[in-house]
Each structure stands twice: as structure tokens, then as C-alpha cells.
């Protein structure tokens, strides 16, 4: 039978986070240099959940040392590594490379410097509520569901717990504090799930600023 959610997280939860960091990214790590995906995972995790790095190193190494055998494959009691673009015969060696980089980072205290997200996974890990907001209310279906952008923002505001709205406002200000150019903000909106353009005459950063201000205004009674 498939793993229960508790058993999955206990045995593979952080391994899954490491592998998800490779969404849309090549598994191009070498023994000497971590690839962009692993660097993004290290950067975000060091600055948010540094304790999880040791868990990741253990789970990745244990999986590499004990890949699922025939019985576990038949029962479905294992974590299935998604396709990362490597031949099946190279996966085990690649996992050992990841585990070694994780251990080296922990033991040396070598931390990637803070910076803007560089991968799809890192954008969503750093701005989770903004990803929910843009992907849920500003997908390509938005024009069919709402009269305009303002109506979509108002719907989010009324349908969402105030504590979560406050978290979104914080993420909006954090994104704006990155001081990207407009191309960078357009990229951020796309990575975080927005599939429609900001309304005229706003630039991407201008619209984000407008939304942050709108969300802190008192609700109309």
C-alpha cells in the first residue's frame, strides 16, 4: 500500500523538497560545484529552516544507499524520484553528490548569499501566499470570473482570513524591496502564477504596490 502522509514526511519529506527544487532546472551538479537548483535550495533553507539541512542530507544519503527494492516497488511503499533528466543508472550517483554538497555546506557553514530567487521552486518557497494569490485569482480564467483586476483583489480579500491577507501584504512588500527592474517584476509575476497582464496603466511593480495598499484599506461595510 502507498505510504501514509506521516510516514512519507518522516522518511522522505525533506528529500522531496530537495528534488522539487529541480522543477524546470537541470540536474547538472558536479562533485565540485552544486548546480543552480541546489544552490537555490541551500540559500532559501539556510535563511528560513537551517535545521532542515541535516534532515535533507540524511534522507538523501539514505535513499541513495538503500534504493527501493522489488518488494517496496511492488507494494508502492517508496518515494518515486520524479524525472530530473538523468538516465536511471545515474540517479544514485547524483544523489550521493547532493548529499555530499549538503554535508559540506553544513560542516563548513558555507551559505549562499541572500539574493532574488533564481528558480521556480525558490520563487514559490519564498513567496508562498503570493503564489496562491496570483495563481488562484489571476490565472488565464480571471477575465471569465471577474469584471476586472480590482474585483479579483476584492474577492480574495473577502474570502481570505485576515491573518493570511496580512501575510500576503508582507510578501508583497518583501518582493518590492528586492528593487528589481520592471522586466524582473514581470518575470516574478509569471513564475508565481499570474497569467494575465497587470491592468493599464500600471507597470508590474506599480500594480504590486497598488495591491499592497488596497489590501490594508478597511473593508467597505
Amino acid at each position: 500500500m502507498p505510504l501514509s502522509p506521516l510516514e512519507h514526511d518522516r522518511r522522505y519529506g525533506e528529500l522531496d523538497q530537495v528534488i522539487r527544487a529541480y522543477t524546470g532546472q537541470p540536474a547538472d551538479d558536479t562533485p565540485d560545484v552544486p548546480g543552480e537548483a541546489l544552490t537555490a535550495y541551500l540559500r532559501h533553507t539556510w535563511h528560513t529552516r537551517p535545521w532542515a539541512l541535516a534532515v535533507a542530507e540524511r534522507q538523501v544519503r539514505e535513499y541513495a544507499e538503500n534504493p527501493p527494492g522489488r518488494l517496496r516497488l511492488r507494494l508502492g511503499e517508496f518515494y518515486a524520484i520524479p524525472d530530473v533528466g538523468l538516465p536511471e543508472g545515474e540517479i544514485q550517483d547524483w544523489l550521493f553528490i547532493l548529499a555530499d554538497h549538503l554535508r559540506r555546506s553544513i560542516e563548513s557553514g558555507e551559505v549562499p548569499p541572500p539574493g532574488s530567487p533564481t528558480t521556480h521552486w525558490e520563487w514559490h518557497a519564498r513567496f508562498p501566499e503570493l503564489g496562491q494569490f496570483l495563481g488562484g485569482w489571476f490565472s488565464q480564467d480571471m477575465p471569465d470570473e471577474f469584471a476586472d483586476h480590482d474585483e479579483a483583489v476584492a474577492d480574495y480579500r473577502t474570502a481570505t482570513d485576515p491573518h493570511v491577507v496580512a501575510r500576503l501584504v508582507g510578501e508583497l512588500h518583501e518582493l518590492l524591496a528586492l528593487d528589481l527592474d520592471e522586466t524582473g517584476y514581470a518575470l516574478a509575476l509569471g513564475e508565481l502564477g499570474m497569467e494575465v497582464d497587470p491592468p493599464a496603466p500600471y507597470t508590474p511593480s506599480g500594480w504590486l504596490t497598488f495591491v499592497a495598499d488596497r489590501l490594508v484599506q478597511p473593508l467597505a461595510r
Side-chain angles (χ1 to χ4, degrees):
M1 61 176 3
L3 291 168
S4 69
L6 177 62
E7 189 64 16
H8 173 277
D9 288 351
R10 180 180 293 155
R11 293 165 61 181
Y12 306 118
E14 202 58 33
L15 163 65
D16 184 53
Q17 286 298 308
V18 174
I19 301 303
R20 285 177 183 273
Y22 285 82
T23 301
Q25 298 293 318
D28 56 356
D29 313 85
T30 69
D32 296 321
V33 181
E36 186 173 13
L38 186 60
T39 299
Y41 171 83
L42 287 167
R43 175 171 46 245
H44 180 74
T45 308
W46 262 116
H47 291 281
T48 57
R49 303 180 301 127
W51 53 266
L53 292 165
V55 178
E57 188 275 337
R58 175 179 57 80
Q59 291 185 355
V60 172
R61 193 175 300 279
E62 287 181 352
Y63 192 97
E65 291 173 344
N66 302 286
R70 292 181 180 177
L71 177 60
R72 287 166 65 193
L73 289 171
R74 187 169 72 248
L75 296 175
E77 297 178 348
F78 71 102
Y79 174 76
I81 298 286
D83 183 10
V84 293
L86 293 176
E88 185 175 349
E90 296 179 15
I91 295 292
Q92 186 175 29
D93 289 341
W94 173 66
L95 290 174
F96 278 122
I97 289 173
L98 299 188
D100 289 344
H101 280 304
L102 289 163
R103 174 172 290 183
R104 190 176 304 124
S105 180
I106 296 167
E107 292 179 342
S108 68
E110 185 175 340
V111 183
S116 300
T118 61
T119 68
H120 181 77
W121 175 88
E122 192 177 10
W123 279 109
H124 282 266
R126 185 163 174 180
F127 299 104
E129 187 56 32
L130 185 52
Q132 289 290 327
F133 171 66
L134 295 176
W137 274 263
F138 294 94
S139 70
Q140 61 185 353
D141 297 326
M142 189 274 284
D144 298 326
E145 298 176 1
F146 304 104
D148 53 26
H149 291 66
D150 285 353
E151 186 176 300
V153 173
D155 184 77
Y156 169 86
R157 176 78 182 279
T158 57
T160 306
D161 185 279
H163 296 84
V164 179
V165 174
R167 188 177 306 133
L168 172 60
V169 171
E171 290 183 13
L172 286 165
H173 285 297
E174 181 179 351
L175 177 56
L176 289 165
L178 295 179
D179 198 23
L180 307 175
D181 59 23
E182 292 304 330
T183 299
Y185 281 114
L187 172 65
L189 291 174
E191 289 285 359
L192 290 167
M194 188 169 181
E195 297 177 337
V196 295
D197 292 331
Y202 291 104
T203 63
S205 67
W207 183 70
L208 290 169
T209 302
F210 170 81
V211 172
D213 291 343
R214 178 75 178 277
L215 290 173
V216 298
Q217 293 173 4
L219 286 170
R221 296 185 181 278

